[in-house]
Amino acid sequence: MKCINKIKLLDYLNNELSERKQNQIAAHLLECEHCRKHLAEWKKVLNITQQFIDQDIKIHPAPPHAHITQQFGKVPPKSDNLFWIRYWTKPALATVAVLFASLMIFFLSPRSVPIPQENYYVIDNVAYTETISLSDVYLNDLEIMYLQEIYENEELTDDILYGDWLYYEEVLNDLNQEELEELINKMYDNGIT
Amino acid sequence: MDSIRLNQLIEENYQKIFLLALKMLKNYEDAEDATQEIFLKVYENINSFRQEAKFTTWIYRIALNHIYYMSTKRSRELNQFPEAYELRTEMNENPSSVLQEKELFESLEKIIDSLSPRQKEVFVMRYYNQLPFKKIATILKKKIGTVKSNYFFAMQKIKNNLQDQNLIEFQE
């Protein structure tokens, strides 16, 4: 068995452990001089402390208090009619807090604002129909999407670009960013949607 | 709770609560006042005692709250710690050991005063109020291990201080 730690040693001295543990430690103490020395030290400290406390308690008797118990009859104790309030305050406050928080989240969260009619842009093809709002931020994404559409969907490109896909592909590849944008604008102007 | 039983409980606990207040507040008059106020509070609020805890546990909780309230109030008023109360040591028969014992006990008094509030409350409840650790843990709403370690560190401090001041000798 390993040496006993100090907290256990104090528990042993205060008789705080189970009987099995007390016996185990007692057995260890018979073998281990190191622990015996510690035990003797602690015993001495506890003895001195106990002596001091016994004396301290003896010289500090309870101060006179008969007048307190006499007062008891005169003043009635507080009635506990606040019992329900005390017990319901916390849950009620919690509910109000949760409601308030959820209302705030509802009111302060960003929501989609209806877009004016003139800003709608309608993609209306054989393949699919979609209504997109043309905000400034969205426009760029739309162009990219539209070009991808042209590249990816041959049927669509034929429809849009009057069947001459190969030619337009070459042209599109040679164009730089600005020219591309110009082309797209032209396409919009011509009603290619 | 009928008034006879209440009086009996107060009789049983008055000195213990007084000692707790005395050790925590380090002032005789303050401790006396605190104890009176604590028991008045106990009486006033007796109807809100709902048997959830034992009566003594409830008293000790009220007492500790009031003691901490008083000590913060007092330290705000005085802005300093008052001098420790005078030690009233009873003289022993044997004059040579009297001085030694007096010196030892005065030092112990100071060492106990120098414990941290957490260690001191556990120490006082353990030794002055003779409460078992389990009860102390319930009163303080802490785990029994925490209470025991507070007690251990208090005892360690007492031992080290006694050793440093050569007030105790251990056999080599």
Short mmCIF file of all heavy atoms in Angstrom, two decimals, chain A residues 77-84 86-87, chain B residues 47-50:
data_model
loop_
_atom_site.label_atom_id
_atom_site.label_comp_id
_atom_site.label_asym_id
_atom_site.label_seq_id
_atom_site.Cartn_x
_atom_site.Cartn_y
_atom_site.Cartn_z
N PRO A 77 -44.76 36.74 14.02
CA PRO A 77 -43.87 36.52 12.87
C PRO A 77 -44.56 36.90 11.57
O PRO A 77 -45.79 36.91 11.49
CB PRO A 77 -43.56 35.03 12.92
CG PRO A 77 -44.58 34.43 13.81
CD PRO A 77 -45.09 35.50 14.69
N LYS A 78 -43.73 37.24 10.58
CA LYS A 78 -44.30 37.65 9.28
C LYS A 78 -45.10 36.49 8.70
O LYS A 78 -44.64 35.35 8.72
CB LYS A 78 -43.17 37.97 8.29
CG LYS A 78 -42.49 39.27 8.56
CD LYS A 78 -41.37 39.44 7.52
CE LYS A 78 -40.42 40.52 7.92
NZ LYS A 78 -39.16 40.46 7.16
N SER A 79 -46.30 36.83 8.18
CA SER A 79 -47.02 35.75 7.51
C SER A 79 -46.44 35.58 6.13
O SER A 79 -45.92 36.52 5.53
CB SER A 79 -48.50 36.10 7.41
OG SER A 79 -48.63 37.24 6.59
N ASP A 80 -46.51 34.36 5.65
CA ASP A 80 -45.82 34.07 4.39
C ASP A 80 -46.79 34.14 3.22
O ASP A 80 -46.92 33.21 2.43
CB ASP A 80 -45.17 32.68 4.47
CG ASP A 80 -44.17 32.50 3.35
OD1 ASP A 80 -43.60 33.51 2.91
OD2 ASP A 80 -43.98 31.36 2.91
N ASN A 81 -47.51 35.29 3.11
CA ASN A 81 -48.44 35.38 1.98
C ASN A 81 -47.73 35.70 0.66
O ASN A 81 -48.34 35.74 -0.39
CB ASN A 81 -49.56 36.40 2.26
CG ASN A 81 -48.99 37.69 2.77
OD1 ASN A 81 -47.78 37.89 2.71
ND2 ASN A 81 -49.83 38.56 3.28
N LEU A 82 -46.43 35.94 0.77
CA LEU A 82 -45.66 36.19 -0.46
C LEU A 82 -45.13 34.89 -1.05
O LEU A 82 -44.39 34.91 -2.02
CB LEU A 82 -44.48 37.13 -0.16
CG LEU A 82 -44.87 38.55 0.25
CD1 LEU A 82 -43.63 39.33 0.61
CD2 LEU A 82 -45.61 39.24 -0.88
N PHE A 83 -45.55 33.78 -0.43
CA PHE A 83 -45.03 32.48 -0.86
C PHE A 83 -45.14 32.26 -2.37
O PHE A 83 -44.18 31.94 -3.04
CB PHE A 83 -45.78 31.38 -0.10
CG PHE A 83 -45.46 30.00 -0.58
CD1 PHE A 83 -44.23 29.45 -0.33
CD2 PHE A 83 -46.40 29.26 -1.29
CE1 PHE A 83 -43.92 28.18 -0.76
CE2 PHE A 83 -46.10 27.98 -1.73
CZ PHE A 83 -44.85 27.44 -1.45
N TRP A 84 -46.36 32.50 -2.92
CA TRP A 84 -46.58 32.22 -4.35
C TRP A 84 -45.78 33.15 -5.22
O TRP A 84 -45.21 32.75 -6.23
CB TRP A 84 -48.07 32.30 -4.69
CG TRP A 84 -48.79 31.13 -4.11
CD1 TRP A 84 -49.66 31.15 -3.07
CD2 TRP A 84 -48.62 29.76 -4.48
NE1 TRP A 84 -50.06 29.88 -2.76
CE2 TRP A 84 -49.44 29.00 -3.62
CE3 TRP A 84 -47.87 29.10 -5.45
CZ2 TRP A 84 -49.53 27.62 -3.70
CZ3 TRP A 84 -47.96 27.73 -5.52
CH2 TRP A 84 -48.79 27.00 -4.66
N ARG A 86 -42.93 34.51 -4.42
CA ARG A 86 -41.53 34.09 -4.37
C ARG A 86 -41.30 32.91 -5.29
O ARG A 86 -40.30 32.82 -5.99
CB ARG A 86 -41.15 33.68 -2.95
CG ARG A 86 -40.35 34.75 -2.25
CD ARG A 86 -39.73 34.25 -0.97
NE ARG A 86 -40.69 33.79 -0.01
CZ ARG A 86 -40.67 32.56 0.51
NH1 ARG A 86 -39.75 31.72 0.16
NH2 ARG A 86 -41.57 32.21 1.40
N TYR A 87 -42.24 31.97 -5.32
CA TYR A 87 -42.03 30.76 -6.10
C TYR A 87 -42.25 30.96 -7.60
O TYR A 87 -41.71 30.23 -8.40
CB TYR A 87 -42.91 29.63 -5.57
CG TYR A 87 -42.20 28.88 -4.49
CD1 TYR A 87 -41.91 29.49 -3.28
CD2 TYR A 87 -41.72 27.59 -4.70
CE1 TYR A 87 -41.21 28.82 -2.29
CE2 TYR A 87 -41.02 26.92 -3.73
CZ TYR A 87 -40.78 27.53 -2.52
OH TYR A 87 -40.08 26.87 -1.55
N ASN B 47 -42.34 31.46 9.41
CA ASN B 47 -43.41 30.94 8.55
C ASN B 47 -42.93 30.59 7.15
O ASN B 47 -43.60 29.86 6.43
CB ASN B 47 -44.55 31.95 8.46
CG ASN B 47 -45.38 31.95 9.72
OD1 ASN B 47 -45.40 30.97 10.45
ND2 ASN B 47 -46.03 33.07 10.00
N SER B 48 -41.79 31.16 6.76
CA SER B 48 -41.30 30.79 5.42
C SER B 48 -40.35 29.59 5.48
O SER B 48 -39.81 29.17 4.45
CB SER B 48 -40.60 31.98 4.77
OG SER B 48 -39.53 32.40 5.56
N PHE B 49 -40.14 29.06 6.68
CA PHE B 49 -39.35 27.82 6.81
C PHE B 49 -40.24 26.65 6.39
O PHE B 49 -41.26 26.39 7.01
CB PHE B 49 -38.86 27.67 8.26
CG PHE B 49 -38.26 26.33 8.55
CD1 PHE B 49 -37.14 25.90 7.85
CD2 PHE B 49 -38.81 25.48 9.50
CE1 PHE B 49 -36.59 24.67 8.10
CE2 PHE B 49 -38.25 24.24 9.75
CZ PHE B 49 -37.15 23.84 9.05
N ARG B 50 -39.82 25.99 5.29
CA ARG B 50 -40.73 25.01 4.66
C ARG B 50 -40.27 23.57 4.83
O ARG B 50 -40.58 22.73 4.02
CB ARG B 50 -40.85 25.29 3.17
CG ARG B 50 -41.17 26.66 2.83
CD ARG B 50 -42.31 26.80 1.87
NE ARG B 50 -43.05 27.98 2.22
CZ ARG B 50 -44.23 27.97 2.80
NH1 ARG B 50 -44.82 26.85 3.07
NH2 ARG B 50 -44.83 29.10 3.12
#
